[in-house]
Amino acid sequence: FAPLRSRAFRWLEGTGLFANTGVWMVTLVGGFIMERLTTSPVLVTLAAAMSPLAAILAVTFSGAAADSRDRRAVLLLAKILLISSVAFLVLMSSTRLLTPATLLLGIAGMGIASGTSSPSWWTTIGSLVPPELVPVAFSVDSFQWNIGQVVGPVLGGAVLRGAGTTVFFALCGTVMLPLIGFLLLWRGRDDLRLSTRGASAAESFLGAISSGWRYFSNTSGLRAIAARTALFVTPAAALGALLPLFAAHYLHTSAFGYGLFLALSGMGAMFAALLLPHLQGHLHLDAIVAAATLANGLAVAALVVWPTRWAAVPVLVVTGASWVWATVGFIIAARQVTPEWVQTRSLSLFYVVFQGPFVLGGLGFGVIDTFLPLRDTLLVAAIAFV
């Protein structure tokens, strides 16, 4: 936790913890709400895929804007869009207009906000701590993110069961307000600009997009990281997309119980984030990613063989941990091979590579589930990890 000595880093992560709890509430419990609105497996998996799908539309432009203009302004705009999308869901629910279409529209708005924010967020984390603490800072950020993954679904499931969807969405929006307040008051602008300061050095917006694409496509290290990311994320998306259906068919759980099961994944992710700096000191990132891939494949296969509540407990812990080890490893690797002047743009393109397979994987396995039994679909995902 050494990066927390930085005051700006503490405030960013502290307010981000509240906001991410709200995001996790909608992201994870939203699939459960969709399962209550429709019986279509494609629509249920689309609830999980809509956010990253929308994020892809925004991320390239946001990375260029952050590198050529002001990262803080991009982050602030993204968080305002985030809370506006949740406010839309509050309105739809309170007026009894919450349907699969309006739920997907609100989730899409949150996805655009995520795509706008994430590359700038990753770059900002690295700029607020000394270079030697950057990998540890990403572990702390992952730990913070996954606290929300534990608290969010448990709190969301309890509120959804006791107070309904309107109060649920209203609470999600309320916990996002502190981060917007911090970004409004924070005056760290000079520390969050590119090294190319001044009008003579600043790139045009379209030029920034073009140079980012050229750098990404011509850097073999980034291409290799992108390929490994796609190969991992595609099958990893299956369990998250199909979990609402699995919970309905095999776990027979309420909204609160579903939140508890999702929290298990967050607990595994928190443990993995705490352990990651130690692993990085002893293992190469290749070994960490390989172990995470193997563990995820075996865990999903175990759930196919034993589709029970007792089997779901260790499976969700393992898949949560392996997701953090692999994805944080990919982000650290992508950042290490990218210079500062093009870093946010490169990370935004990496985000496309990260979220694209997540969308295709989630939707693809949803389509497969319309032709195969649910357990057979998960078996296909387990084999795909190989």
Side-chain angles (χ1 to χ4, degrees):
F1 294 98
L4 293 176
R5 295 168 188 164
S6 165
R7 182 183 178 188
F9 184 83
R10 286 199 308 272
W11 276 99
L12 186 71
E13 294 295 325
T15 55
L17 171 61
F18 286 97
N20 290 333
T21 299
V23 172
W24 276 117
M25 287 171 69
V26 179
T27 301
L28 296 179
V29 184
F32 188 88
I33 296 174
M34 180 64 81
E35 199 274 333
R36 292 295 182 265
L37 295 174
T38 178
T39 58
S40 169
V42 174
L43 284 176
V44 173
T45 55
L46 187 59
M50 179 57 73
S51 180
L53 179 63
I56 292 173
L57 301 177
V59 69
T60 302
F61 299 100
S62 69
D67 269 350
S68 61
R69 298 295 184 270
D70 187 351
R71 249 178 261 151
R72 173 179 170 269
V74 172
L75 283 172
L76 181 58
L77 176 64
K79 301 311 175 185
I80 292 175
L81 176 59
L82 178 66
I83 198 169
S84 299
S85 301
V86 179
F88 169 78
L89 291 173
V90 172
L91 178 63
M92 292 297 100
S93 179
S94 62
T95 56
R96 301 185 183 277
L97 294 176
L98 188 65
T99 64
T102 55
L103 178 60
L104 289 175
L105 186 59
I107 293 175
M110 296 181 66
I112 293 174
S114 176
T116 304
S117 168
S118 292
S120 295
W121 185 278
W122 293 336
T123 309
T124 300
I125 289 171
S127 71
L128 297 180
V129 298
E132 66 273 11
L133 290 180
V134 169
V136 183
F138 276 102
S139 294
V140 173
D141 181 66
S142 178
F143 181 74
Q144 169 268 119
W145 173 252
N146 288 294
I147 291 176
Q149 189 179 0
V150 173
V151 177
V154 175
L155 178 61
V159 172
L160 185 63
R161 182 183 66 175
T165 55
T166 301
V167 176
F168 168 79
F169 288 126
L171 179 60
C172 294
T174 301
V175 296
M176 297 173 185
L177 289 173
L179 179 57
I180 293 178
F182 167 65
L183 292 172
L184 280 170
L185 297 173
W186 188 21
R187 289 295 176 262
R189 284 174 175 266
D190 290 340
D191 295 330
L192 293 179
R193 291 188 184 275
L194 261 186
S195 57
T196 53
R197 292 184 175 90
S200 61
E203 296 179 275
S204 68
F205 181 68
L206 292 179
I209 295 177
S210 177
S211 61
W213 275 104
R214 286 198 305 271
Y215 185 87
F216 188 91
S217 61
N218 288 288
T219 304
S220 59
L222 280 174
R223 293 201 307 270
I225 295 165
R228 296 184 186 202
T229 302
L231 288 171
F232 175 84
V233 171
T234 301
L239 182 59
L242 295 173
L243 191 59
L245 295 173
F246 187 87
H249 293 168
Y250 295 102
L251 304 183
H252 308 293
T253 181
S254 65
F256 181 68
Y258 182 71
L260 288 176
F261 275 108
L262 293 175
L264 292 170
S265 180
M267 291 175 63
M270 287 172 58
F271 171 76
L274 286 174
L275 192 59
L276 185 58
H278 177 75
L279 292 178
Q280 287 179 291
H282 295 82
L283 297 173
H284 193 279
L285 282 177
D286 283 338
I288 295 174
V289 170
T293 305
L294 178 62
N296 213 330
L298 291 176
V300 174
L303 196 60
V304 173
V305 177
W306 298 288
T308 65
R309 293 184 180 185
W310 293 111
V313 171
V315 164
L316 290 172
V317 171
V318 170
T319 55
S322 61
W323 176 266
V324 166
W325 283 333
T327 56
V328 175
F330 292 138
I331 294 171
I332 292 173
R335 195 180 186 280
Q336 285 176 345
V337 299
T338 309
E340 185 179 359
W341 67 270
V342 75
Q343 195 164 96
T344 310
R345 277 165 287 177
S346 294
L347 288 175
S348 70
L349 296 174
F350 168 79
Y351 186 88
V352 173
V353 174
F354 182 88
Q355 295 287 22
F358 189 86
V359 172
L360 295 176
L363 289 177
F365 284 106
V367 172
I368 292 173
D369 189 50
T370 62
F371 298 99
L372 294 178
L374 181 57
R375 291 170 65 185
D376 291 349
T377 303
L378 289 174
L379 182 60
V380 172
I383 295 172
F385 278 109
V386 178

